């Protein structure tokens, strides 16, 4: 029986690498995979899943105009893999539950759980509510050896705790940190 998986972590935990690895494993067995990424993620160009290790693949760009259920019904993949799931809407997540429940197609979504202010992204909130399985992908704090659970955002070289929730960026803007290092860095600013 198919399930909806939400695998979350902070940045730099290997989520995109995992998406590409799973796609490779399915395709090596001659199975069809639908790779997707939200249209808002344009860090490496729209419609691209790129890992920091240098692996990349083209992916279907999804936005609020695309019904993932209808697309899946038409293409009938063996699995759907979605990167940057935090940018999905609640409606899109509910659509994914229909893919799983009515079409019996497994869906695996990778993404961030919380933003740099420690608020849930709307897509992550919906995934936490509707996913059959929720799994954490471990990451290491940028400053110490503890598990990273938060994102620290930088502007002009200084940590910030205010601003727009969504600002696409990588290590140039964000680092993954543990709670202690998060608090410590914000106190020092």
């Amino acid at each position: 029986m198919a399930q909806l998986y939400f695998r979350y972590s902070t940045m730099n935990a290997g989520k995109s690498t995992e998406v590409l690895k799973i796609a490779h494993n399915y395709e090596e067995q001659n199975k069809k995979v639908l790779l997707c990424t939200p249209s808002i993620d344009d860090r490496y160009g729209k419609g691209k899943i790129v890992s920091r290790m240098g692996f990349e693949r083209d992916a279907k760009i999804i936005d609020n105009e695309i019904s993932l259920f209808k697309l899946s019904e038409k293409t009938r993949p063996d699995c759907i893999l979605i990167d940057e799931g935090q940018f999905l809407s609640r409606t899109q997540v509910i659509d994914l539950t229909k893919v799983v429940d009515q079409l019996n197609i497994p869906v695996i979504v990778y993404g961030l759980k919380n933003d740099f202010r420690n608020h849930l992204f709307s897509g992550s909130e919906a995934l936490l509510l509707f996913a059959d399985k929720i799994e954490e992908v471990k990451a290491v704090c940028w400053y110490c050896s503890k598990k990273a659970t938060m994102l620290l955002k930088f502007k002009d070289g200084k940590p910030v705790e205010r601003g727009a929730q969504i600002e696409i960026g990588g290590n140039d803007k964000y680092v993954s940190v543990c709670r202690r290092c998060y608090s410590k860095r914000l106190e020092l600013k």
Side-chain angles (χ1 to χ4, degrees):
M1 180 165 207
Q3 293 186 320
L4 173 59
Y5 297 83
F6 179 41
R7 296 181 178 158
Y8 71 90
S9 187
T10 60
M11 294 177 70
N12 226 350
K15 295 181 300 297
S16 297
T17 301
E18 283 290 315
V19 169
L20 299 174
K21 181 180 88 173
I22 293 168
H24 171 78
N25 291 343
Y26 268 88
E27 291 167 344
E28 193 170 48
Q29 298 172 24
N30 294 317
K31 294 178 181 167
K32 189 175 176 182
V33 174
L34 178 59
L35 282 169
C36 301
T37 187
S39 61
I40 191 170
D41 183 22
D42 61 359
R43 187 169 20 147
Y44 301 107
K46 288 190 182 224
K48 296 270 185 206
I49 296 176
V50 180
S51 80
R52 287 182 170 83
M53 293 177 65
F55 305 116
E56 75 175 73
R57 292 272 306 266
D58 289 334
K60 176 77 176 161
I61 300 169
I62 52 175
D63 57 28
N64 289 329
E65 305 301 314
I66 292 176
S67 165
L68 292 165
F69 180 82
K70 287 180 184 174
L71 178 64
S72 302
E73 193 174 40
K74 180 179 174 185
T75 60
R76 289 293 179 167
D78 293 293
C79 181
I80 298 173
L81 298 167
I82 300 175
D83 199 20
E84 306 296 348
Q86 70 272 11
F87 298 134
L88 295 174
S89 68
R90 182 181 178 95
T91 301
Q92 288 172 316
V93 172
I94 292 170
D95 212 24
L96 292 173
T97 66
K98 293 175 186 172
V99 170
V100 170
D101 296 342
Q102 295 175 29
L103 301 177
N104 201 34
I105 298 171
V107 177
I108 307 171
V109 182
Y110 284 82
L112 300 172
K113 182 180 63 146
N114 45 293
D115 65 18
F116 71 98
R117 302 168 302 169
N118 289 311
H119 294 223
L120 292 174
F121 285 95
S122 60
S124 303
E125 179 182 28
L127 286 160
L128 287 168
L129 291 170
F130 291 103
D132 298 299
K133 297 237 178 182
I134 299 165
E135 301 167 343
E136 182 179 21
V137 180
K138 303 290 192 269
V140 177
C141 178
W142 191 264
Y143 300 106
C144 72
S145 297
K146 291 183 179 179
K147 181 175 81 169
T149 57
M150 300 180 172
L151 290 173
L152 194 57
K153 181 179 179 178
F154 288 88
K155 186 165 180 138
D156 301 322
K158 294 185 172 144
V160 296
E161 53 189 327
R162 288 188 172 75
Q165 181 181 48
I166 298 172
E167 188 176 340
I168 305 298
N171 291 346
D172 57 323
K173 286 189 178 116
Y174 302 96
V175 296
S176 298
V177 295
C178 67
R179 183 182 61 238
R180 186 173 146 237
C181 289
Y182 178 87
S183 297
K184 184 178 175 182
R185 294 298 185 280
L186 286 175
E187 288 170 7
L188 294 175
K189 67 175 188 140

